[in-house]
Amino acid sequence: MWMSLMKLDLASVGLAVSLGFIFVVLFEIFRIKSYRGKTPPGPTPLPFVGTIPHFLLNPMEFIRSLSQYGEMTTLYLGRKPAIFLNTVELAKEAMVQNASSFSGRPPIPLLMWVTEGYGIVMATYGHSWKQQRRFALHSLRNFGLGKKSVEERVIEESSYLVPEMLKSEGKPFDPQHAIQNAVSNIICSIVFGDRFDYDNKRFAYLLEIVRENIIQSGAFLDRYKQVFNLLPIIKHFPGPHQKMYQNAEELKAFIRDAVKTHRETLDPDSPRDFIDAYLLEIEKQNSNEDSTFHEDNMVMSVSDLFLAGTDTTATTIRWSLIFLTQNPHVQERCHEEIVRVLGYDRMPSMDDRDKLPYTHATVHEIQRCGNIVPSGVFHETTQPAKLRGYDIPKGTAVFTNLTAILTNKEHWKYPDTFNPENFLDDNGHFFKPESFLPFSLGPRVCLGESLAKTELFLFITSLLQRIHFSWPPGAKWPDMNGIVSVVRSPEAYDIICHSRGSKK
């Protein structure tokens, strides 16, 4: 009899659990349907996980499919709806005309754990973010952003990069380290006051962990965000998130060492770089109760500038070598134009852009097709908002679908192919369509836009002037969807370089 009761109790428990599960699922389906009646159309979400599985299956194809739902699309990041803006007109309406409502940043537990809410990129929209961003822009301008000094630094670094690329002349090699080191040296010279040699092992290690974190962070955001939301205590347990945290701590330790050295050698009358300027600002704001200037914010701001100033531009240049080898006629036309204007030995300058319209257009087409942030950097509504008749609640994640905007058939002559003619008018002069938004727009527009433009034009032009790039015979072309994370990067590849030679 006892065994019968046990079986009956277990059956009852099993039935209760099953009915409870069915009830929860049905309730979730009902909840989703009630939401979908009030939000813009979009793909059908699954209970609890939303549309994340669709994205993980093929990220780029999924992002490309979103514009079929109209100018706005609703996705579900787990149980929470998010809005994708698929047209440049709508992106401007939200991010520019209604900037105060759409300039927030979602407090993602995983990233908050790493950044502690400090810095610029992941900081919430508010007083601290405004102070830190304003100071960073002001300081970067003072130390060369938009001035000749940055241009001179890029030109100087190009003179190191070209021979570094030619060290393996005629042999397949991976150009990633050389490119990443060269680009990173520009922001390092502004932030730390110095550059690093390409064979500096400690700096090479730092660049590697930076790249590793950027690649992994996208996957973590997709796979672990919901776990961290529900169970923040997971940070105390083993897992791949621990490697991401450790990498971030190592970068911060490197920055703190630099800050210590700067503090010991600081000359208040002659600041050398961003760190010096920040240390002086801490002293200046010391008696201001409203100040957000302190060492933790400084370390994260430097980290943000270092990360943003290294990987995005380096990734774009890595895409450029793929596009240029896939389209050798474009590479040759650029080289001929550059040599006609500059010869082989005069380094390019930003003043040469008007004289090099095809090369200038090619650099922009590389950015358009490289599309390194396919859905833009996520925003969040800071207050209830209205957009095209829809009520958008406070705390809604908002994405700018740069993939759709950069390939809109109404705005581009050749939306689906690599063709610099997209940036040339009928007279062969350079022009920039309004749908060219690789740096986003609004108050959260990329902090280093001016720096990135200078680097991309000068580095790519210098490389095309002196080097012919080709694909290794028989080597497989990389998947052009790339590796989609926070930044969309190409798969690792080898390239062959041949010197164009000096013809003085």
Side-chain angles (χ1 to χ4, degrees):
M1 181 176 176
W2 175 249
M3 290 300 293
S4 299
L5 286 172
M6 280 282 290
K7 288 179 181 177
L8 182 62
D9 286 343
L10 288 173
S12 300
V13 170
L15 180 61
V17 169
S18 299
L19 289 174
F21 178 74
I22 292 169
F23 173 78
V24 169
V25 171
L26 290 174
F27 177 79
E28 180 68 5
I29 292 171
F30 175 78
R31 189 187 69 86
I32 289 172
K33 282 189 174 181
S34 67
Y35 263 121
R36 295 190 75 198
K38 304 171 188 174
T39 57
T44 303
L46 298 171
F48 308 111
V49 294
T51 48
I52 289 176
H54 304 306
F55 172 82
L56 293 176
L57 194 63
N58 193 326
M60 284 308 298
E61 286 304 315
F62 181 66
I63 294 170
R64 291 187 190 106
S65 73
L66 298 180
S67 56
Q68 69 178 295
Y69 297 98
E71 60 183 358
M72 258 199 298
T73 305
T74 302
L75 298 186
Y76 282 78
L77 305 177
R79 303 180 72 239
K80 198 172 180 183
I83 305 297
F84 265 67
L85 311 178
N86 299 322
T87 66
V88 65
E89 296 82 7
L90 194 58
K92 286 182 176 179
E93 183 178 333
M95 303 300 178
V96 179
Q97 296 169 24
N98 296 288
S100 60
S101 298
F102 287 88
S103 294
R105 194 73 88 206
I108 298 171
L110 178 61
L111 295 184
M112 293 298 288
W113 177 43
V114 172
T115 68
E116 299 178 85
Y118 296 126
I120 303 168
V121 176
M122 286 309 301
T124 55
Y125 185 72
H127 176 63
S128 178
W129 172 80
K130 289 177 182 177
Q131 274 200 341
Q132 298 304 312
R133 183 181 172 90
R134 191 184 306 118
F135 175 79
L137 279 171
H138 176 72
S139 298
L140 288 172
R141 288 193 191 102
N142 283 348
F143 291 105
L145 189 53
K147 292 184 180 181
K148 284 285 186 181
S149 56
V150 157
E151 184 175 333
E152 288 164 0
R153 291 174 197 187
V154 179
I155 291 170
E156 179 189 6
E157 194 62 41
S158 297
S159 70
Y160 293 110
L161 176 60
V162 169
E164 184 70 19
M165 296 283 279
L166 288 171
K167 277 185 176 178
S168 301
E169 184 169 4
K171 300 176 183 176
F173 80 106
D174 186 345
Q176 179 174 309
H177 173 68
I179 292 170
Q180 194 174 23
N181 209 137
V183 172
S184 182
N185 270 339
I186 306 305
I187 195 66
C188 282
S189 68
I190 295 169
V191 173
F192 299 118
D194 203 0
R195 65 179 297 277
F196 294 88
D197 292 333
Y198 295 118
D199 58 359
N200 185 307
K201 288 185 168 55
R202 188 185 178 204
F203 192 63
Y205 172 70
L206 276 174
L207 292 178
E208 181 56 34
I209 67 174
V210 165
R211 179 175 172 272
E212 184 179 87
N213 260 23
I214 287 173
I215 290 175
Q216 289 185 350
S217 60
F220 288 152
L221 289 180
D222 295 328
R223 298 169 192 170
Y224 293 100
K225 178 184 173 187
Q226 300 307 316
V227 178
F228 266 77
N229 277 340
L230 295 171
L231 298 169
I233 198 173
I234 196 173
K235 68 185 182 183
H236 299 296
F237 294 91
H241 53 281
Q242 296 293 350
K243 178 61 174 172
M244 182 180 170
Y245 183 80
Q246 179 188 337
N247 286 349
E249 288 300 300
E250 288 192 51
L251 176 59
K252 284 191 267 188
F254 177 84
I255 295 168
R256 289 187 194 279
D257 283 346
V259 170
K260 181 182 177 184
T261 302
H262 276 65
R263 188 178 277 118
E264 292 168 352
T265 57
L266 177 64
D267 178 357
D269 297 322
S270 182
R272 297 157 292 188
D273 48 39
F274 180 83
I275 292 177
D276 273 1
Y278 203 108
L279 288 169
L280 292 173
E281 191 68 18
I282 291 175
E283 287 299 315
K284 179 182 172 182
Q285 299 277 353
N286 195 33
S287 59
N288 182 2
E289 293 181 3
D290 208 26
S291 172
T292 61
F293 291 93
H294 48 75
E295 185 164 320
D296 288 332
N297 241 338
M298 173 170 55
V299 169
M300 274 315 305
S301 291
V302 170
S303 177
D304 284 346
L305 291 171
F306 182 72
L307 290 166
T310 296
D311 200 70
T312 51
T313 302
T315 297
T316 303
I317 296 175
R318 289 178 62 222
W319 276 116
S320 79
L321 301 187
I322 297 174
F323 294 130
L324 291 167
T325 50
Q326 286 182 337
N327 300 274
H329 63 287
V330 174
Q331 182 179 173
E332 288 309 305
R333 186 170 166 183
C334 286
H335 173 72
E336 289 166 8
E337 181 183 67
I338 293 165
V339 171
R340 186 172 66 251
V341 174
L342 306 178
Y344 280 89
D345 297 299
R346 179 169 83 76
M347 299 294 282
S349 72
M350 295 303 283
D351 291 338
D352 293 319
R353 286 175 295 179
D354 291 341
K355 305 170 202 166
L356 301 170
Y358 190 81
T359 304
H360 195 198
T362 298
V363 172
H364 282 71
E365 182 69 351
I366 287 164
Q367 287 182 270
R368 186 187 74 86
C369 293
N371 185 24
I372 63 167
V373 190
S375 54
V377 179
F378 39 76
H379 287 220
E380 183 182 76
T381 48
T382 59
Q383 58 193 15
K386 207 170 186 70
L387 202 57
R388 300 295 167 92
Y390 288 102
D391 291 316
I392 314 294
K394 178 182 177 180
T396 301
V398 181
F399 296 80
T400 302
N401 189 348
L402 296 182
T403 301
I405 292 171
L406 292 172
T407 57
N408 188 302
K409 290 179 170 56
E410 294 179 8
H411 294 183
W412 300 97
K413 290 183 280 188
Y414 306 97
D416 300 320
T417 56
F418 181 86
N419 192 331
E421 300 287 339
N422 278 311
F423 292 91
L424 295 173
D425 63 19
D426 294 338
N427 298 315
H429 298 138
F430 175 82
F431 85 103
K432 186 171 69 174
E434 68 165 345
S435 284
F436 184 68
L437 299 175
F439 301 102
S440 192
L441 71 175
R444 289 270 190 180
V445 67
C446 175
L447 185 66
E449 178 178 355
S450 178
L451 175 61
K453 287 177 178 177
T454 301
E455 290 178 318
L456 288 172
F457 179 76
L458 294 179
F459 276 133
I460 292 174
T461 303
S462 298
L463 290 171
L464 285 169
Q465 179 186 30
R466 299 295 302 275
I467 300 175
H468 175 266
F469 298 98
S470 59
W471 203 252
K476 182 183 175 184
W477 289 101
D479 181 350
M480 295 305 287
N481 282 325
I483 301 167
V484 180
S485 182
V486 173
V487 172
R488 184 178 83 102
S489 58
E491 297 173 339
Y493 64 85
D494 286 346
I495 199 88
I496 295 177
C497 295
H498 283 284
S499 174
R500 296 279 191 175
S502 176
K503 299 185 179 179
K504 289 185 179 178

